[in-house]
Amino acid sequence: MYITCLDMEGVIVPEIWIAFSEESGIPELKRTTRDEPDYDKLMKWRIGILREHGLTLKDIQNTIAKIDPLPGAKEFMDALRAECQTIILSDTFEEFAAPLMKKLGMPTIFCNSLEVDKDGFIVSHKMRCANSKLTTVKALQSIGYETIASGDSYNDLGMIQASKAGFLFRSTDKIKADYPDIPAFETYDELLSAIRAQLKK
């Protein structure tokens, strides 16, 4: 029995921090897990920049409210969920993801949470568990599931490599060059076909 595990940002929705970087006019916030493999380091750096510029969680949520899933993403998710159980595994936060999940038909998402002070500033991030994507994939495997995984960033490589089948989706040239053994796709039709092929094995 298979479960497909998908990354969220860059795969089915735009990168939230890039959108907020453009909205806020702070180019440093364009840095993502495609650029920085250490997520804890990246988030502490982001929180520092937000505080420096006086930006709160609500400011980010106002940007998220304007974000739609990537073109074709909902149709891809609907088609995939009709064929196998599908979970979104993301290093994003409940406070960011909720409105986007509504636009995708409320798929299951496992993500993290934020600690916010009385003034609305983000003070820290709470990871659901260490190495959350890989840990979750291994936990699913431990209860009898085979996993298929797809993502675009460094923090997706663990779950991709640990799965029965794993695919890069719209990843960077560097990651694709560094991991030539992982099939890489650019369209939802290609990714869906690859997942379907695995489901038939």
Side-chain angles (χ1 to χ4, degrees), residues 6-184:
L6 298 173
D7 178 35
M8 185 179 85
E9 293 179 69
V11 175
I12 53 175
V13 303
E15 291 280 357
I16 290 168
W17 288 99
I18 290 177
F20 186 63
S21 168
E22 292 169 353
E23 182 95 358
S24 64
I26 303 170
E28 300 98 307
L29 289 175
K30 286 187 177 177
R31 190 168 178 79
T32 71
T33 50
R34 288 175 166 214
D35 312 298
E36 174 52 69
D38 186 331
Y39 191 72
D40 186 61
K41 179 180 175 182
L42 178 63
M43 273 307 301
K44 287 177 179 175
W45 181 76
R46 286 168 168 167
I47 290 168
I49 290 176
L50 293 174
R51 176 69 74 162
E52 180 186 331
H53 290 271
L55 296 167
T56 65
L57 172 61
K58 185 64 178 172
D59 293 315
I60 301 173
Q61 289 174 327
N62 289 339
T63 296
I64 293 169
K66 303 172 191 175
I67 295 175
D68 288 320
L70 292 167
K74 185 175 187 304
E75 294 78 7
F76 164 72
M77 289 291 295
D78 289 345
L80 182 57
R81 291 164 72 196
E83 298 195 32
C84 75
Q85 297 295 316
T86 303
I87 298 172
I88 297 169
L89 299 183
S90 177
D91 280 339
T92 193
F93 308 98
E94 295 171 352
E95 296 84 355
F96 289 6
L100 294 165
M101 293 305 100
K102 288 179 183 176
K103 294 179 180 181
L104 286 163
M106 293 304 290
T108 299
I109 181 169
F110 293 173
C111 59
N112 304 302
S113 62
L114 294 168
E115 184 180 340
V116 180
D117 69 15
K118 62 181 177 60
D119 298 315
F121 289 101
I122 300 170
V123 293
S124 67
H125 62 290
K126 295 181 180 178
M127 302 300 284
R128 183 171 48 82
C129 57
N131 300 313
S132 61
K133 296 181 184 186
L134 175 59
T135 301
T136 302
V137 159
K138 286 184 174 179
L140 291 168
Q141 292 167 350
S142 77
I143 56 171
Y145 288 98
E146 296 282 11
T147 58
I148 301 169
S150 183
D152 68 332
S153 296
Y154 285 104
N155 63 340
D156 300 313
L157 293 170
M159 71 170 180
I160 288 171
Q161 292 172 319
S163 291
K164 189 81 171 180
F167 311 108
L168 291 169
F169 186 71
R170 296 179 181 171
S171 190
T172 65
D173 290 340
K174 178 165 181 17
I175 292 174
K176 287 187 283 189
D178 287 347
Y179 297 89
D181 55 317
I182 303 176

